[in-house]
Amino acid sequence: MSYRASGLTQAKWCEIHDVKVHQLKYWLKRLEGSNATPNPSTKWASVVMTDPSIHEDDSIQVKIGEFSIEVKQGFHPSLFADVVKVLKTLC
């Protein structure tokens, strides 16, 4: 495990790797009790949880004159505002 080889305190290693100290302690205890040889290629991975009520294919359609714009989740608001301004001048 890279923590042991790092020479850092648990708190500092966790800060650098964005891991909570209690998570590190949990895994250290599990590894000690399992007689498992740590795999040097094992890496910590970040996991991003998304709101399950939001669907990526959710969108709204905005009509300005003869133009239609589909706006999907995660759009850039200032870019959308600029596009709307331009379309208003054309209509």
Side-chain angles (χ1 to χ4, degrees), residues 26-41:
Y26 169 83
W27 285 107
L28 288 172
K29 188 172 182 175
R30 267 196 82 177
L31 287 173
E32 287 170 6
S34 69
N35 294 330
T37 304
N39 183 341
S41 65

Side-chain angles (χ1 to χ4, degrees), residues 9-23:
T9 64
Q10 289 181 353
K12 188 64 178 174
W13 188 91
C14 288
E15 178 185 332
I16 291 169
H17 292 90
D18 196 27
V19 174
K20 292 182 177 16
V21 175
H22 73 273
Q23 291 172 318

Side-chain angles (χ1 to χ4, degrees), residues 53-72:
S53 66
I54 298 173
H55 302 286
E56 288 189 24
D57 55 349
D58 284 350
S59 64
I60 60 171
Q61 197 167 50
V62 179
K63 293 188 180 208
I64 302 170
E66 63 184 82
F67 300 98
S68 175
I69 304 170
E70 183 179 12
V71 181
K72 293 189 175 193

